[in-house]
Amino acid sequence: MALIFEKLKAENKEMISQMAEFAGNIFFEYYDSYLPAGQAEYMKNKFLSEEAIAEKISEAHTPKVNFEFVEDERTKEKIGFVCYWIQKDENEKNECYLDKYYLATAFRGKGFGKLIMDHLKTFCAENQLGQISLNVNKYNKTVKIYEKLGFKNVRSEVNDIGSGYVMDDFVMCLFVQEA
């Protein structure tokens, strides 16, 4: 079993449109069941619209933004997507920040998540990054999956995302090497 990671480019409007549609469908599976009414739709529009994806890809202040479709190498079927980049942690050390990490329902529990994590660990090794960090909603069932992958809960934080909505998150880290 192997995966293909297809990086989106700002100039590829068709691929960005495909990502927005694909991501929106998966996004509701993760969030709509436990967020306040309207918040999942608000977040999808704010973070996964065509405009939001194109803006994230082209952000000059975020080095090495990688917004990627994940495909099953054997079937060429799109199974998920990831978005990650290099940023400074609270100690001013470079880390990989995993902003988005989603798998379609049919591909969960089959080892694809571990392969995606291996891809991120390779990115860390290539860029001499000691950890992967992420924010995950405290009520998201994927907290247990991240723990199974080796992530540790390092703190809680509440982030205002506008329009009266907040994200009540755990910040989790996976230490991958000494940087």
Side-chain angles (χ1 to χ4, degrees):
M1 175 168 50
L3 300 176
I4 297 170
F5 293 85
E6 187 176 7
K7 187 172 180 174
L8 276 69
K9 294 184 174 30
E11 63 274 4
N12 192 333
K13 304 296 184 210
E14 181 181 332
M15 205 166 156
I16 289 172
S17 178
Q18 290 173 7
M19 172 61 78
E21 181 178 347
F22 182 78
N25 293 336
I26 294 175
F27 185 80
F28 284 110
E29 295 174 26
Y30 282 90
Y31 289 105
D32 207 33
S33 66
Y34 61 86
L35 290 176
Q39 185 168 344
E41 183 68 28
Y42 172 80
M43 289 172 59
K44 182 186 81 107
N45 293 334
K46 182 173 178 75
F47 301 119
L48 292 171
S49 66
E50 290 180 37
E51 297 78 19
I53 292 170
E55 183 178 322
K56 180 54 75 181
I57 292 168
S58 61
E59 281 183 358
H61 67 277
T62 306
K64 292 198 176 207
V65 171
N66 296 284
F67 216 125
E68 300 169 335
F69 270 121
V70 181
E71 297 178 3
D72 181 331
E73 183 180 63
R74 188 177 48 80
T75 66
K76 305 296 189 243
E77 187 174 1
K78 288 179 176 41
I79 67 166
F81 66 98
V82 292
C83 178
Y84 56 97
W85 57 79
I86 297 172
Q87 73 175 17
K88 298 279 186 197
D89 69 9
E90 66 275 358
N91 298 314
E92 292 300 309
K93 290 186 175 182
N94 285 339
E95 68 177 358
C96 174
Y97 183 75
L98 178 55
D99 185 52
K100 294 167 184 34
Y101 176 47
Y102 296 92
L103 278 175
T105 304
F107 301 97
R108 296 178 197 153
K110 298 182 178 180
F112 290 110
K114 183 182 177 316
L115 293 175
I116 292 170
M117 201 52 58
D118 289 346
H119 175 72
L120 294 171
K121 288 176 183 177
T122 298
F123 175 80
C124 287
E126 290 169 352
N127 291 281
Q128 299 176 317
L129 307 173
Q131 70 183 31
I132 301 168
S133 69
L134 57 86
N135 285 49
V136 60
N137 188 286
K138 292 175 183 175
Y139 306 103
N140 190 323
K141 60 187 172 192
T142 59
V143 169
K144 297 236 182 279
I145 294 168
Y146 289 126
E147 290 171 342
K148 188 175 178 182
L149 289 168
F151 281 82
K152 304 288 184 225
N153 180 358
V154 295
R155 71 180 177 277
S156 296
E157 61 185 32
V158 176
N159 296 297
D160 184 334
I161 59 171
S163 293
Y165 297 118
V166 298
M167 288 300 299
D168 189 8
D169 291 343
F170 291 129
V171 176
M172 301 183 82
C173 291
L174 174 66
F175 300 96
V176 293
Q177 68 181 31
E178 293 298 319

